[in-house]
Amino acid sequence: MNVTTPEPDIDALKLMHIGMRLLIEVVLPNGTKFKAASRLIGYKKDDFILLEYPMGVAAGFEKVFLENANIIVRAITDTSFRDIVAFKTKINTIIYRPVKMLSLDMPVHIATHKVREAPRIEVVYPVEVKCNGRKSPAKMLDFSVSGCGLLLENQDIYILQGNRVTINLSISSDIKAELEGLVTSVQADSSQLKVGIKFNLHQLELKKEIFHHCILEMSNSGKVSLSGTF
């Protein structure tokens, strides 16, 4: 009896370009999970995929044995409407030369999902807001490349419609930003301020990168459904 091996979905993999930013999640046999950012180095059809080895203390990868661990990889492509590409496979080995890399088994199934440009998506990120010479911690409640919504507990910062604000944001080890904008709306109650922000026109690529990271986080949490199985 002949047993055929399923062909990898190489057409979906071709949506990914060399050097593109990835969000990876490694799941160890004991259930421990590690998340980090990486980049695609390359792949060989039917054989392997090479990823940049996640660096930095926050990633936690230096402390665990990664070979044969399960890994989920997510990325957003440069196609016209953007596609989320995601697949699950195993880490085959760690390569140390010429640079440190993860070598992955070629996945059989690759899931995809189209994302229309730039809806406002729900997020929850701690940020620092600066306005009228004062600083205050806040929560970012939603994000798009054109603006965001904030929640502040400290009303002593005196944010008013039309004020200029600076938002310091750190959502991963390699995505940190200082975004500037104008206050377009303020809703106050006894203990909180809900503030709408319209971003300045510069830093568009950085804001797109933040938006794409948010989308990948949503797909990781199941808020964005992916067609296919991985």
Side-chain angles (χ1 to χ4, degrees):
M1 182 178 67
N2 293 327
V3 178
T4 59
T5 302
E7 286 289 324
D9 190 354
I10 197 69
D11 288 336
L13 192 61
K14 285 179 180 178
L15 294 172
M16 303 171 65
H17 65 268
I18 305 304
M20 74 184 304
R21 189 177 180 279
L22 311 171
L23 182 66
I24 65 173
E25 179 179 352
V26 174
V27 184
L28 302 180
N30 64 1
T32 302
K33 298 180 180 180
F34 294 91
K35 296 181 183 179
S38 181
R39 292 190 182 274
L40 178 67
I41 294 176
Y43 62 86
K44 181 180 179 183
K45 183 181 177 181
D46 303 328
D47 203 347
F48 59 81
I49 298 174
L50 297 178
L51 304 187
E52 179 182 77
Y53 191 92
M55 302 301 291
V57 176
F61 285 91
E62 298 290 350
K63 303 176 183 178
V64 296
F65 185 74
L66 293 178
E67 293 183 358
N68 210 40
N70 290 320
I71 183 170
I72 297 172
V73 179
R74 293 178 172 86
I76 289 189
T77 71
D78 284 334
T79 49
S80 57
F81 283 116
R82 306 292 182 180
D83 293 86
I84 300 176
V85 176
F87 58 84
K88 181 178 180 180
T89 185
K90 288 186 178 294
I91 298 174
N92 180 275
T93 190
I94 300 173
I95 299 173
Y96 292 90
R97 294 180 181 176
V99 295
K100 198 170 183 181
M101 298 176 276
L102 295 178
S103 176
L104 313 183
D105 292 341
M106 182 64 71
V108 174
H109 300 292
I110 300 177
T112 60
H113 176 85
K114 290 192 179 298
V115 181
R116 299 283 175 173
E117 285 292 347
R120 184 164 292 222
I121 54 176
E122 294 183 0
V123 298
V124 180
Y125 291 125
V127 299
E128 182 185 70
V129 179
K130 182 178 180 181
C131 182
N132 296 321
R134 296 193 179 189
K135 297 180 181 181
S136 175
K139 289 182 181 178
M140 183 175 286
L141 302 180
D142 56 61
F143 185 89
S144 77
V145 295
S146 60
C148 70
L150 303 175
L151 179 67
L152 293 88
E153 303 288 343
N154 178 13
Q155 295 191 25
D156 292 337
I157 194 172
Y158 302 122
I159 292 181
L160 302 174
Q161 188 171 341
N163 284 165
R164 297 185 180 274
V165 297
T166 301
I167 303 167
N168 285 298
L169 171 67
S170 177
I171 61 176
S172 72
S173 59
D174 66 335
I175 300 184
K176 303 178 190 297
E178 185 175 273
L179 305 177
E180 298 177 346
L182 288 176
V183 177
T184 58
S185 65
V186 179
Q187 299 178 22
D189 59 28
S190 58
S191 60
Q192 295 179 331
L193 286 177
K194 289 185 178 180
V195 181
I197 306 295
K198 181 179 180 180
F199 293 137
N200 293 349
L201 295 179
H202 64 288
Q203 298 178 296
L204 180 59
E205 290 304 315
L206 174 59
K207 285 176 283 193
K208 284 183 177 180
E209 186 174 7
I210 294 170
F211 177 76
H212 294 162
H213 182 91
C214 295
I215 289 287
L216 292 178
E217 288 283 9
M218 289 175 66
S219 71
N220 185 45
S221 64
K223 293 181 180 179
V224 173
S225 61
L226 295 167
S227 61
T229 304
F230 66 95

